[in-house]
Amino acid sequence: MKLFLRYGLSFRVRLLGWLTVLLLTSSLVRAQSPVPLESLLQTLNQKRGVYFLYDEGLLSGISVETPVNWKASTETLLTTLLTGTGLTFRKLNDCYLIEAGTTVGRSPVVGSRAVPRVTLSGFVREKDSREQINGAMVYAGKTATTTNRYGYYALTLPARDSVELVVSMVGYQRVYRRMSLAKSVSLDIELIPNTLLEEVTLTNAAGERAFGSSKTGRLMLSGEQIANTPALLGEKDVLRTLQFVAGIQPGLNGQVGLHVRGGGADQNLLLLDEAPVYNANHLFGFFSAFNVDALKNVKLEKGGFSARYGGRLSSVVDMTMREGNKQKLSGAAGTGIVASRLLLEGPLIQEKASFLLAARRSNLSPVLGDFIATVVEDYSGTAWRANFYDINAKLNADLNRRNKLYLSGYFGRNYFGGGDSLNRTQRWENVLTWQNQTGNLRWNHLFSEKLFSNTSLIFSNYDFETHRKNIRTAEPMAGQTANLWRYFDGITDLTFKADFDYFPAARHHLQWGLISTFRAYRLNGFQITTLSTLGNRSGQERTESLETSAYAEDHWDLGNRTKLGLGGRLTHYRIGQNTFLRAEPRLSAAFRLSDKQALRASFSDMNQFVHLLSNTGLGLPTDLWVPATDLVKPQRSRQAVLGLVHDFNPRWQLTVEGYRKWMRHVISYREGADFIGITSAVRAAEVSWERNVTSGNGNASGLETTLQSRSGRLTGSLNYTWAVTRWQFPERNNGREFYPLHDRRHSVSVTGLYTFNPRLRLSAAWIYSSGNPFSVPVSGVPSFGHLGLGKPDVRITPSEQLFGTETPLVQVQTAFSNFRAQASHRLDVTVQADLGRGRFRHRLELGAVNAYGRRNPFYYDLMINPTGELSLRRVSLFTFVPSLNYLVYF
């Protein structure tokens, strides 16, 4: 320092200036020594999310010595990098093509004769497994389309000497080909999984740009994306992942139920390989019934519904199972805190037929039983057991290029039960079971390169049963049932469905089809066996309905600035002697404002002919599926959506959507009514469920904002939702409007996935929701319970819906939605490490739900405290839940 001060002021100023220039210049220099051109392009891809197409042989051996100014624009950087290499670049759709100065052929013109039109068609598959890829973008010049759910695409174009074909899909390397299109061509494309850290988390349809589609409220997820999201106790869950999406409120009390744009949990159509699943819950809704290992992709529609979907008001969650590896036998096995799993897949006939088998079973049945018993807070000290299992299976065969067969099924069962001594001669036993089964036989057929069809025969069944037994323990009648009370219900669907995709021209994609569902209901089934004077009784309500729909839709490109989706659905519903005919128009449109901005709008009319009766909002299996009748009208909704999409660059996208929804004939129990038969089996023979139902109207409005990063080491999204939902029932709350249980004013979620390298990933998700409303009693009067004498200090809990109540309180309620819970927020994190490189690869996952231990409200109850006063108490759950999972792939 002394030496520096000995020189004159001018010298010191010049020296500081040189140092400053040197520091600024050093930030611009990255490639002082020769660096492979391909490595620099990969770095540019990771920094900016810019995509490149090139022949690897063309770049082989080319290095760059010129200093790289990473602050320059992309095109300036490319000009600098390619100077002196003999290569050029040009923009092709949303990526840059690196080539050796070639030119694009033009369509031949002979005099004034019209240019013939030809068709380019085929299937897009994954290279290693040969599985077909749904939702891949296929560009031929400036014309684009997407593959359907079976991986098929078709483009009708003018014949030309050559055309540039680009195929892209999130998670795969892009494919580029220049090919002759002088005549119709059948071309199957194979995509290679990407290793350049371009994984995407919670984005819209793969590679979709602002003007890529006219649909609003659509989301596409792959199974790998769901597997990278933090999960409760490490159990990956598709429905819990969707709760991070804007416009979707989390299930009540930490459950996996979805409340989409003001709708109830029963207003979501959950499809597994096209088969509806009626109760998607394991362990009373803390986990869903869908095994992520078996899923290939998931499509969510919550606005701008496709005409092919119907029967629900709020959303469609369409889950497609994987097909199985056609090349080699492979699989995975693993275990965690909640469940153990096994996955097997492989060829039955090499390249022609394959199978997939995925199974999952819960661990630690007594521990899970104690957990559920703690949640419902009933029968303390009883040895409860809880378990579940599910099996996904699929077979598929390529008969030839034009015909493919698929057979898939799902089987899942839940059990919760326990027992204890009743007296010296008897013990009691309480058990609940519920199960789902689905099956689907599908036939894909190509009538021509322009006409694709899928025909399906679909089966779906849901059963629920609960019973209470008093069993003799003393000789000589030990083991015999002294008293039995059993309740059961269920629903079965048999469906025929035919769908057609027609590609008449480059700007038109026509879809139409027919679907018919025969539905059988088993309602209020009960059996009473007793040694008392009441005797033995049993009964059940049975009813059947037939729902038939026809639909048609045209996806139409009106020039380069407008896309239009115009369609409709006509449904005929019959139950007994009553019939309903409902027309459902569907309209969606996109308008290009600039190369980076598009305006989207949609209108949808939906009808629902099957309802879920619930007075808890807890998603318990005791909720009852009932049909629309002449007394209980079909539910109906109309939804209008307006949105703006802005692409800042290929990596960052902003979406803003506002919606308004009108709902009619929403159903609920009448005041004072409850689940028939659960609290009084005797009344089940006397009271029809229709007498306990009332209906009303509702409306919902909201604004949703999503900012997402779609490529690079750090991907993720920031979502904010403002929403308000109001219901009005003439026979509830004195006819005044009230807020339903799932109404939440503000919701925020932040998700992120950071990829340190292809073998190590860190994912995190933070979610905030303002409190939901409750109808809280204002006072209570001591009383006797109907199952026995009231006990002191017993609180009102959700277990009343399972086994009745022995509460000492008759609660007095003056108004609906008179109390709003505290806000909830939590942070979930997961670290994934992939180990091993040989035949056996290992994955270790360490995670935590609610990492900072926030005591979020689970529910509120009214109780008598030790001093004899009434008080409202908040009950919390999942304050901090760590998890450890291990999987081995072979």
Side-chain angles (χ1 to χ4, degrees), residues 349-363:
I349 302 175
Q350 198 74 20
E351 302 284 348
K352 292 292 185 180
S354 64
F355 76 93
L356 174 81
L357 178 65
R360 183 173 57 160
R361 195 185 193 286
S362 58
N363 298 330

Side-chain angles (χ1 to χ4, degrees), residues 735-751:
R736 299 191 301 268
E737 281 190 341
F738 63 93
Y739 300 109
L741 282 172
H742 55 269
D743 175 70
R744 287 185 171 96
R745 199 66 64 244
H746 304 280
S747 297
V748 180
S749 68
V750 183
T751 65

Side-chain angles (χ1 to χ4, degrees), residues 77-109:
L77 266 173
L78 288 175
T79 301
T80 302
L81 295 176
L82 299 182
T83 299
T85 63
L87 303 177
T88 62
F89 73 90
R90 57 190 172 90
K91 191 76 177 291
L92 184 62
N93 297 308
D94 62 343
C95 53
Y96 289 93
L97 175 64
I98 311 297
E99 56 187 352
T102 56
T103 58
V104 182
R106 297 180 177 273
S107 302
V109 179

Side-chain angles (χ1 to χ4, degrees), residues 21 29 76 114 130 190 309 312 371 394 610 649 729:
V21 172
V29 178
T76 301
R130 302 280 297 169
E190 293 186 344
Y309 298 119
R312 298 294 190 275
F371 164 73
K394 191 168 186 177
V610 57
N649 52 48
F729 289 76

Side-chain angles (χ1 to χ4, degrees), residues 499-527:
D499 300 311
F500 297 87
D501 288 73
Y502 182 54
F503 306 87
R507 296 185 179 274
H508 285 273
H509 177 193
L510 297 176
Q511 296 176 302
W512 71 88
L514 176 72
I515 178 171
S516 184
T517 299
F518 172 80
R519 192 171 288 127
Y521 298 86
R522 301 174 296 280
L523 304 172
N524 294 334
F526 71 95
Q527 176 185 359

